[in-house]
Every structure is written in C-alpha cells, then in structure tokens.
Amino acid sequence: MAVGSKTSRLAAGAMLALASTPALAANEPSRLDQVVERKVLNICTTGDYRPFSYRPDGANDFVGIDIDLGRSLAKSLDAEAVFIQTKWSNLLADFKSQCDIAMSGISVTLPRQRETFFSEMYLVNGKAPIVRCGDVAKFQTTEAINQPSTRVVVNPGGTNERFARAHLANAQIQLFPDNRVIWREIAEGRADVMVAESVEVKLQEKLHPGLCAVNPDQPLQYGEMGFLLPRGDTVFKAYVDQWLHLTKASGEFGRIFDANMK
C-alpha cells in the first residue's frame, strides 16, 4: 500500500471518530446559558459523605463543603441551587438525566472521565484507613490489611468499594449500605477497617472517639476530587473552572473547607 493512501485512510478514520464522539450539538446552547435562563442550577449529590455532602435522617437540607460550594456557584449565575439526591451506584446515570453538575466529594477516575467532563481538581485526597485506635499499629499498610482475618467494610458503588476489590481481595469485604453510619461497624467491633478519602477519615476521627485515621497525610493511593460536568460542554466547564479559581483565590474556598471540618 502506498504511504499516501495509508495516511489518507488514517486521517479519514480520525475524522470519523471525531464526528461520532458525543459532544454539544452545533445548535444546542451551553448548559451555562440554560442555567442562566432558567435561574436554577440542578446539582446531584449523595448526602452520605461528610464533610462534603450530608443530610441526616429527617433533615430537609444538605450540609457540607460541596453543598456550600454549590450554593456559591449558583449565586454566581444568579440562580437557585437545587440539590437532587443520588447514590454512588447511580451517580453517573442520575447526573446525565437530571443534573447540570454533580458535587459530592467525587473522586476523579478515568472510567468517569470517559463519560463526563470533570472540573479542575479542587482537592488532593488519597485513600487512607480508619480503624479502632488500638489497631493503628496493626494496619499500617495495604499488605497488612489485605489478610483473610481482616474485616473490611465499604459503602457500595463508589471508589471505596473499587479500591477494596482491587487491593484488599484477600480480606473479608463487607458491604454496608448507609455511608452516614458505616463507622459504627468499626467502633462496635463488627468490622476492623474502612478505607476512604483522607479528609473524610480525619473528620470521622474527630466525630468518633475510639476511631483513628492511619497515616492520612501519607495515603495508600493518590486521589483528586472534582465536579462532574456535561461531556462536550467546554463553555460551561470554562465557567466552572474560572469560578473555582476565583473562589480559591479570594479565600472563600478555604473558609468553606475550614467551617465544615469542625
């Protein structure tokens, strides 16, 4: 085959691939314009993940870092923040069908990136264990946790479960559906370890005397957090990224973070 012919075929294939990639239609307005027009910003959030998104039983509203940031973003758009509760196993489906953005302490992962856009990263936050304080020395490494005698508890459907399945397959993995009270499983002796984001285990250590985070500043796995955005909508992503940059530069982000870590 001639080189020119091969090159032409490769170029044609690349053009076809680009044409078939889901993106914003030429005549479809950006989600930015839609939000400004409707004056409502629909935000998917789980409500089970302190300090990012939490709604206690019986409460009418959510609290947390991402909740306060969601209200700040909506205010910048002269819109009302409307929070739509989802769960980790349905996060992508609910986001695509109901929401403009998802804000819930969401880890940036390549499988999620294949289906959505992410905002710029707003927090570096790797995986770290939390255990009963008497067991801190016992569970210092992934290898020490990954033993048949270790009971690892995880909330289903998110990156905590994926981490456990990938790195702790020799341990006894127990699924517990309510991430808000999962810590009691360790405190009351029904489980030994949970591996979650370092900022989360630091907070839960404060909230649950007798539980200790294990080396949260030296996590077992590197991680970043960002907001889910509609795939292909570069205009909306640019706006959210600029808002996030200004929120950090002004000190608003730091104040929100500190207030929710108490």
Side-chain angles (χ1 to χ4, degrees), residues 33-192:
D33 302 317
Q34 295 176 39
V35 170
V36 169
E37 182 177 357
R38 81 168 93 98
K39 298 188 179 301
V40 170
L41 178 69
N42 293 311
I43 304 171
C44 277
T45 197
T46 62
D48 67 349
Y49 189 14
R50 298 177 75 170
F52 299 98
S53 169
Y54 188 69
R55 183 163 70 174
D57 286 335
N60 293 324
D61 211 347
F62 298 87
V63 295
I65 294 169
D66 282 25
I67 304 306
D68 292 342
L69 288 172
R71 293 195 176 103
S72 172
L73 175 59
K75 183 178 179 181
S76 78
L77 293 163
D78 296 320
E80 176 189 2
V82 173
F83 295 97
I84 298 169
Q85 189 156 16
T86 184
K87 55 185 178 180
W88 293 105
S89 56
N90 292 345
L91 175 63
L92 288 178
D94 288 345
F95 164 66
K96 291 177 183 178
S97 63
Q98 301 181 58
C99 298
D100 304 305
I101 188 170
M103 307 175 76
S104 199
I106 299 167
S107 296
V108 176
T109 69
L110 293 178
R112 287 171 176 163
Q113 184 75 66
R114 287 199 294 264
E115 299 186 49
T116 68
F117 272 3
F118 270 102
S119 69
E120 290 295 319
M121 174 270 294
Y122 69 94
L123 195 65
V124 173
N125 192 29
K127 298 288 186 188
I130 187 167
V131 302
R132 289 180 294 278
C133 291
D135 289 338
V136 168
K138 181 180 178 181
F139 295 120
Q140 286 284 306
T141 65
T142 302
E143 292 74 19
I145 299 169
N146 189 29
Q147 300 297 323
S149 59
T150 306
R151 299 167 299 170
V152 176
V153 65
V154 296
N155 55 305
T159 58
N160 291 344
E161 182 182 4
R162 284 197 286 277
F163 180 90
R165 301 288 184 197
H167 301 284
L168 306 174
N170 292 330
Q172 303 172 43
I173 297 175
Q174 306 172 357
L175 297 181
F176 189 84
D178 193 342
N179 204 40
R180 298 170 303 171
V181 297
I182 196 170
W183 319 98
R184 295 179 192 167
E185 299 302 293
I186 304 170
E188 296 172 7
R190 293 183 291 274
D192 302 310

